[in-house]
Amino acid sequence: MELERSIDISRRQSKEHMCRITDLQEELRHREHHISDLDKEVQHLHENINALTKELEFKGKEILRIRSESNQQIRLHEQDLNKRLEKELDVMTADHLREKNIMRADFNKTNELLKEINAALQVSLEEMEEKYLMRESKPEDIQMITELKAMLTERDQVIKKLIEDNKFYQLELVNRETNFNKVFNSNPTVGVINPLAKQKKKNDKSPTNRFVSVPNLSALESSGVGNGHPNRLDPIPNSPVHDIEFNSSKPLPQPVPPKEPKTFLRYQ
Protein backbone atom coordinates (compact mmCIF):
# COMPACT_ATOMS: atom_id res chain seq x y z
CA MET A 1 0.00 0.00 0.00
CA GLU A 2 2.86 2.29 0.74
CA LEU A 3 4.40 1.29 -2.50
CA GLU A 4 1.22 1.87 -4.39
CA ARG A 5 0.80 5.13 -2.59
CA SER A 6 4.30 6.12 -3.53
CA ILE A 7 3.68 4.96 -7.13
CA ASP A 8 0.51 7.06 -7.27
CA ILE A 9 2.37 9.97 -5.86
CA SER A 10 5.15 9.43 -8.34
CA ARG A 11 2.70 9.16 -11.20
CA ARG A 12 0.90 12.24 -10.04
CA GLN A 13 4.23 14.07 -9.81
CA SER A 14 5.25 12.75 -13.19
CA LYS A 15 2.01 14.03 -14.67
CA GLU A 16 2.59 17.35 -13.03
CA HIS A 17 6.13 17.30 -14.31
CA MET A 18 4.89 16.42 -17.78
CA CYS A 19 2.41 19.24 -17.66
CA ARG A 20 5.16 21.51 -16.42
CA ILE A 21 7.49 20.30 -19.16
CA THR A 22 4.76 20.85 -21.75
CA ASP A 23 4.15 24.36 -20.45
CA LEU A 24 7.84 25.10 -20.41
CA GLN A 25 8.26 23.71 -23.94
CA GLU A 26 5.34 25.80 -25.08
CA GLU A 27 6.84 28.83 -23.43
CA LEU A 28 10.21 27.96 -24.95
CA ARG A 29 8.72 27.78 -28.40
CA HIS A 30 6.98 31.03 -27.77
CA ARG A 31 10.22 32.60 -26.54
CA GLU A 32 12.13 31.21 -29.55
CA HIS A 33 9.49 32.65 -31.85
CA HIS A 34 9.75 36.01 -30.06
CA ILE A 35 13.54 35.83 -30.28
CA SER A 36 13.30 35.13 -33.99
CA ASP A 37 10.94 38.04 -34.36
CA LEU A 38 13.37 40.24 -32.40
CA ASP A 39 16.26 39.02 -34.55
CA LYS A 40 14.30 39.91 -37.63
CA GLU A 41 13.48 43.28 -36.18
CA VAL A 42 17.13 43.86 -35.23
CA GLN A 43 18.19 42.87 -38.71
CA HIS A 44 15.59 45.22 -40.15
CA LEU A 45 16.83 47.98 -37.83
CA HIS A 46 20.41 47.31 -38.92
CA GLU A 47 19.31 47.59 -42.50
CA ASN A 48 17.52 50.85 -41.69
CA ILE A 49 20.59 52.12 -39.87
CA ASN A 50 22.78 51.28 -42.82
CA ALA A 51 20.35 52.97 -45.18
CA LEU A 52 20.13 56.01 -42.92
CA THR A 53 23.93 56.11 -42.62
CA LYS A 54 24.29 56.01 -46.37
CA GLU A 55 21.61 58.66 -46.74
CA LEU A 56 23.32 60.76 -44.05
CA GLU A 57 26.63 60.49 -45.87
CA PHE A 58 24.93 61.47 -49.09
CA LYS A 59 23.20 64.39 -47.40
CA GLY A 60 26.51 65.47 -45.81
CA LYS A 61 28.24 65.38 -49.18
CA GLU A 62 25.34 67.32 -50.69
CA ILE A 63 25.51 69.86 -47.88
CA LEU A 64 29.25 70.29 -48.42
CA ARG A 65 28.67 70.71 -52.11
CA ILE A 66 25.91 73.27 -51.54
CA ARG A 67 28.08 75.10 -48.99
CA SER A 68 30.99 75.28 -51.37
CA GLU A 69 28.71 76.46 -54.15
CA SER A 70 27.11 79.06 -51.87
CA ASN A 71 30.53 80.25 -50.70
CA GLN A 72 31.66 80.53 -54.29
CA GLN A 73 28.51 82.46 -55.20
CA ILE A 74 29.00 84.74 -52.17
CA ARG A 75 32.59 85.43 -53.21
CA LEU A 76 31.48 86.18 -56.75
CA HIS A 77 28.72 88.46 -55.45
CA GLU A 78 31.17 90.24 -53.15
CA GLN A 79 33.57 90.72 -56.05
CA ASP A 80 30.75 92.14 -58.16
CA LEU A 81 29.68 94.45 -55.34
CA ASN A 82 33.26 95.61 -54.75
CA LYS A 83 33.72 96.35 -58.44
CA ARG A 84 30.40 98.19 -58.54
CA LEU A 85 31.26 100.17 -55.41
CA GLU A 86 34.69 101.04 -56.80
CA LYS A 87 33.10 102.29 -60.01
CA GLU A 88 30.52 104.33 -58.06
CA LEU A 89 33.28 105.67 -55.80
CA ASP A 90 35.36 106.67 -58.83
CA VAL A 91 32.33 108.38 -60.36
CA MET A 92 31.54 110.19 -57.10
CA THR A 93 35.18 111.23 -56.69
CA ALA A 94 35.24 112.61 -60.23
CA ASP A 95 31.96 114.44 -59.64
CA HIS A 96 33.29 115.83 -56.35
CA LEU A 97 36.49 117.06 -57.97
CA ARG A 98 34.53 118.62 -60.82
CA GLU A 99 32.12 120.35 -58.43
CA LYS A 100 35.05 121.43 -56.27
CA ASN A 101 36.81 123.00 -59.25
CA ILE A 102 33.57 124.71 -60.30
CA MET A 103 32.99 126.05 -56.79
CA ARG A 104 36.61 127.22 -56.57
CA ALA A 105 36.29 129.03 -59.89
CA ASP A 106 33.01 130.62 -58.74
CA PHE A 107 34.62 131.63 -55.46
CA ASN A 108 37.57 133.22 -57.26
CA LYS A 109 35.21 135.10 -59.57
CA THR A 110 33.10 136.25 -56.63
CA ASN A 111 36.22 137.27 -54.71
CA GLU A 112 37.50 139.30 -57.65
CA LEU A 113 34.08 140.88 -58.06
CA LEU A 114 33.97 141.74 -54.36
CA LYS A 115 37.46 143.23 -54.58
CA GLU A 116 36.36 145.38 -57.52
CA ILE A 117 33.21 146.43 -55.65
CA ASN A 118 35.30 147.19 -52.55
CA ALA A 119 37.73 149.29 -54.59
CA ALA A 120 34.83 151.15 -56.21
CA LEU A 121 33.21 151.73 -52.85
CA GLN A 122 36.54 152.92 -51.42
CA VAL A 123 36.92 155.41 -54.28
CA SER A 124 33.32 156.49 -53.82
CA LEU A 125 33.89 156.87 -50.09
CA GLU A 126 36.97 159.02 -50.67
CA GLU A 127 35.04 161.15 -53.15
CA MET A 128 32.15 161.51 -50.71
CA GLU A 129 34.58 162.43 -47.91
CA GLU A 130 36.22 165.00 -50.16
CA LYS A 131 32.79 166.37 -51.10
CA TYR A 132 31.83 166.41 -47.44
CA LEU A 133 35.01 168.27 -46.50
CA MET A 134 34.61 170.70 -49.41
CA ARG A 135 30.87 171.09 -48.94
CA GLU A 136 29.24 174.51 -48.81
CA SER A 137 28.13 175.88 -45.49
CA LYS A 138 24.49 175.63 -44.59
CA PRO A 139 22.50 178.84 -44.15
CA GLU A 140 21.72 178.01 -40.54
CA ASP A 141 25.44 177.31 -39.90
CA ILE A 142 26.42 180.61 -41.50
CA GLN A 143 23.79 182.37 -39.43
CA MET A 144 25.02 180.66 -36.27
CA ILE A 145 28.65 181.54 -37.07
CA THR A 146 27.64 185.17 -37.65
CA GLU A 147 25.76 185.25 -34.36
CA LEU A 148 28.69 183.68 -32.54
CA LYS A 149 31.10 186.19 -34.10
CA ALA A 150 28.79 189.02 -33.07
CA MET A 151 28.58 187.62 -29.56
CA LEU A 152 32.37 187.27 -29.41
CA THR A 153 32.82 190.85 -30.61
CA GLU A 154 30.29 192.10 -28.07
CA ARG A 155 31.94 190.07 -25.33
CA ASP A 156 35.38 191.42 -26.30
CA GLN A 157 34.00 194.95 -26.08
CA VAL A 158 32.46 194.19 -22.69
CA ILE A 159 35.75 192.70 -21.46
CA LYS A 160 37.70 195.70 -22.80
CA LYS A 161 35.29 198.06 -21.07
CA LEU A 162 35.59 196.10 -17.84
CA ILE A 163 39.39 196.26 -18.06
CA GLU A 164 39.21 200.03 -18.63
CA ASP A 165 36.80 200.46 -15.72
CA ASN A 166 39.05 198.35 -13.50
CA LYS A 167 42.07 200.42 -14.49
CA PHE A 168 40.08 203.59 -13.86
CA TYR A 169 39.09 202.50 -10.35
CA GLN A 170 42.61 201.32 -9.56
CA LEU A 171 44.12 204.63 -10.66
CA GLU A 172 41.43 206.54 -8.83
CA LEU A 173 42.12 204.53 -5.69
CA VAL A 174 45.87 205.15 -5.99
CA ASN A 175 45.28 208.84 -6.65
CA ARG A 176 43.01 209.18 -3.63
CA GLU A 177 45.43 207.32 -1.40
CA THR A 178 48.29 209.56 -2.58
CA ASN A 179 46.27 212.74 -2.03
CA PHE A 180 45.18 211.48 1.37
CA ASN A 181 48.77 210.79 2.40
CA LYS A 182 49.89 214.21 1.17
CA VAL A 183 47.07 216.05 2.88
CA PHE A 184 47.35 214.31 6.23
CA ASN A 185 51.12 213.75 6.05
CA SER A 186 50.77 210.08 6.91
CA ASN A 187 52.86 207.18 5.80
CA PRO A 188 51.05 204.00 6.81
CA THR A 189 52.81 200.69 6.83
CA VAL A 190 50.70 198.08 5.20
CA GLY A 191 51.51 194.48 6.04
CA VAL A 192 50.22 191.14 7.17
CA ILE A 193 50.93 189.04 10.23
CA ASN A 194 53.54 186.37 9.62
CA PRO A 195 52.66 183.38 11.84
CA LEU A 196 55.90 181.63 10.83
CA ALA A 197 58.17 184.33 12.25
CA LYS A 198 60.57 183.00 14.85
CA GLN A 199 59.83 183.98 18.42
CA LYS A 200 62.68 185.61 20.32
CA LYS A 201 63.63 184.89 23.85
CA LYS A 202 61.61 186.39 26.69
CA ASN A 203 64.71 188.11 28.09
CA ASP A 204 65.25 190.00 24.85
CA LYS A 205 63.68 193.42 25.45
CA SER A 206 64.22 194.67 21.92
CA PRO A 207 60.93 195.21 20.12
CA THR A 208 60.16 192.72 17.38
CA ASN A 209 58.51 193.62 14.14
CA ARG A 210 55.75 191.11 13.71
CA PHE A 211 54.57 192.62 10.50
CA VAL A 212 56.01 191.96 7.09
CA SER A 213 55.34 194.58 4.54
CA VAL A 214 53.95 193.52 1.24
CA PRO A 215 53.53 195.60 -1.85
CA ASN A 216 50.17 197.33 -2.12
CA LEU A 217 48.54 199.50 -4.66
CA SER A 218 50.89 202.37 -3.80
CA ALA A 219 53.72 200.27 -5.27
CA LEU A 220 52.31 201.05 -8.68
CA GLU A 221 53.51 204.63 -8.21
CA SER A 222 57.15 203.54 -7.91
CA SER A 223 57.40 203.18 -11.69
CA GLY A 224 57.93 206.97 -11.93
CA VAL A 225 54.98 207.58 -14.26
CA GLY A 226 53.33 211.02 -13.84
CA ASN A 227 53.77 214.69 -14.48
CA GLY A 228 57.38 214.84 -13.38
CA HIS A 229 56.60 213.35 -10.01
CA PRO A 230 58.30 210.00 -9.32
CA ASN A 231 55.51 208.78 -7.02
CA ARG A 232 52.50 209.83 -9.04
CA LEU A 233 50.80 208.12 -11.98
CA ASP A 234 49.64 209.86 -15.11
CA PRO A 235 46.16 211.26 -14.74
CA ILE A 236 43.39 209.58 -16.68
CA PRO A 237 42.57 211.62 -19.77
CA ASN A 238 39.17 213.31 -19.84
CA SER A 239 38.79 212.58 -16.13
CA PRO A 240 36.81 215.26 -14.19
CA VAL A 241 38.83 214.51 -11.09
CA HIS A 242 42.28 215.14 -12.55
CA ASP A 243 41.24 218.21 -14.52
CA ILE A 244 40.29 220.04 -11.31
CA GLU A 245 43.13 221.65 -9.42
CA PHE A 246 43.75 220.12 -6.03
CA ASN A 247 42.25 222.03 -3.10
CA SER A 248 42.90 220.78 0.43
CA SER A 249 39.81 222.49 1.84
CA LYS A 250 37.46 220.99 -0.70
CA PRO A 251 36.72 217.25 -0.73
CA LEU A 252 37.32 215.27 -3.85
CA PRO A 253 34.34 214.58 -6.07
CA GLN A 254 32.87 211.11 -6.16
CA PRO A 255 33.89 208.94 -9.11
CA VAL A 256 31.38 208.76 -11.91
CA PRO A 257 30.32 205.18 -12.65
CA PRO A 258 30.09 204.06 -16.25
CA LYS A 259 26.88 205.02 -17.98
CA GLU A 260 26.40 201.75 -19.80
CA PRO A 261 25.45 198.82 -17.60
CA LYS A 262 27.71 195.81 -17.62
CA THR A 263 26.04 193.00 -19.52
CA PHE A 264 27.32 189.46 -19.49
CA LEU A 265 26.28 187.28 -22.38
CA ARG A 266 25.72 183.59 -22.08
CA TYR A 267 25.54 181.37 -25.12
CA GLN A 268 23.29 178.38 -24.84
Side-chain angles (χ1 to χ4, degrees):
M1 289 174 68
E2 289 178 1
L3 180 60
E4 286 178 359
R5 192 180 295 114
S6 62
I7 291 169
D8 291 333
I9 292 170
S10 63
R11 286 178 182 176
R12 198 181 297 117
Q13 289 180 352
S14 64
K15 286 180 181 180
E16 290 177 359
H17 287 158
M18 289 297 291
C19 291
R20 181 69 177 167
I21 288 169
T22 305
D23 294 332
L24 289 173
Q25 287 177 354
E26 186 68 27
E27 187 178 358
L28 180 62
R29 283 195 299 271
H30 182 70
R31 292 288 179 88
E32 287 178 354
H33 182 69
H34 183 65
I35 288 168
S36 63
D37 292 337
L38 290 175
D39 289 335
K40 290 179 181 179
E41 189 176 357
V42 168
Q43 188 176 0
H44 182 68
L45 289 173
H46 279 297
E47 291 176 357
N48 290 331
I49 288 170
N50 292 326
L52 290 173
T53 303
K54 290 179 181 180
E55 187 176 359
L56 184 61
E57 290 177 356
F58 177 75
K59 293 292 183 182
K61 291 179 181 179
E62 189 174 359
I63 288 171
L64 292 174
R65 182 178 60 79
I66 292 171
R67 183 179 292 176
S68 63
E69 290 178 357
S70 62
N71 289 329
Q72 187 175 1
Q73 289 179 359
I74 289 171
R75 284 195 297 271
L76 293 174
H77 187 64
E78 286 180 355
Q79 291 177 0
D80 294 335
L81 287 176
N82 289 326
K83 290 180 181 179
R84 190 182 302 171
L85 289 174
E86 286 178 357
K87 289 181 181 179
E88 292 179 357
L89 184 61
D90 293 336
V91 173
M92 292 177 67
T93 304
D95 294 337
H96 176 68
L97 291 174
R98 184 170 60 255
E99 291 178 357
K100 184 178 179 180
N101 293 327
I102 292 170
M103 291 178 67
R104 184 175 293 173
D106 293 337
F107 176 76
N108 292 328
K109 289 181 181 178
T110 307
N111 195 10
E112 294 294 333
L113 182 62
L114 289 175
K115 286 182 180 179
E116 293 178 359
I117 293 172
N118 190 11
L121 290 175
Q122 190 69 25
V123 173
S124 177
L125 179 62
E126 292 178 357
E127 292 178 357
M128 293 297 290
E129 287 180 353
E130 187 176 358
K131 288 181 181 180
Y132 178 76
L133 294 175
M134 301 300 292
R135 72 187 184 281
E136 296 180 357
S137 300
K138 294 181 180 179
E140 53 268 18
D141 294 338
I142 295 173
Q143 184 178 0
M144 184 177 292
I145 292 170
T146 305
E147 292 177 358
L148 290 174
K149 286 183 178 179
M151 291 175 66
L152 286 174
T153 304
E154 186 176 358
R155 183 168 293 180
D156 291 337
Q157 292 177 359
V158 171
I159 291 171
K160 188 182 294 183
K161 186 167 182 58
L162 288 174
I163 292 172
E164 291 178 357
D165 292 341
N166 188 16
K167 187 183 293 184
F168 169 75
Y169 286 121
Q170 285 181 355
L171 294 175
E172 187 65 29
L173 182 61
V174 171
N175 191 11
R176 287 197 176 197
E177 185 180 1
T178 305
N179 293 330
F180 181 82
N181 293 332
K182 286 182 178 181
V183 169
F184 295 99
N185 194 14
S186 63
N187 190 9
T189 302
V190 181
V192 295
I193 298 174
N194 187 5
L196 299 178
K198 294 181 180 180
Q199 297 180 358
K200 293 187 177 181
K201 297 180 180 180
K202 295 181 180 180
N203 297 329
D204 191 1
K205 296 181 180 181
S206 61
T208 58
N209 187 10
R210 296 185 181 180
F211 299 96
V212 179
S213 63
V214 294
N216 56 358
L217 293 175
S218 61
L220 297 173
E221 299 176 0
S222 61
S223 59
V225 180
N227 294 326
H229 198 280
N231 294 325
R232 185 177 179 84
L233 297 175
D234 292 331
I236 299 174
N238 299 325
S239 176
V241 177
H242 295 86
D243 292 340
I244 300 173
E245 187 177 358
F246 174 73
N247 189 1
S248 60
S249 63
K250 185 179 180 181
L252 294 174
Q254 297 294 328
V256 181
K259 295 179 180 180
E260 296 180 0
K262 297 179 178 64
T263 59
F264 299 95
L265 299 178
R266 178 179 293 176
Y267 176 72
Q268 295 181 356

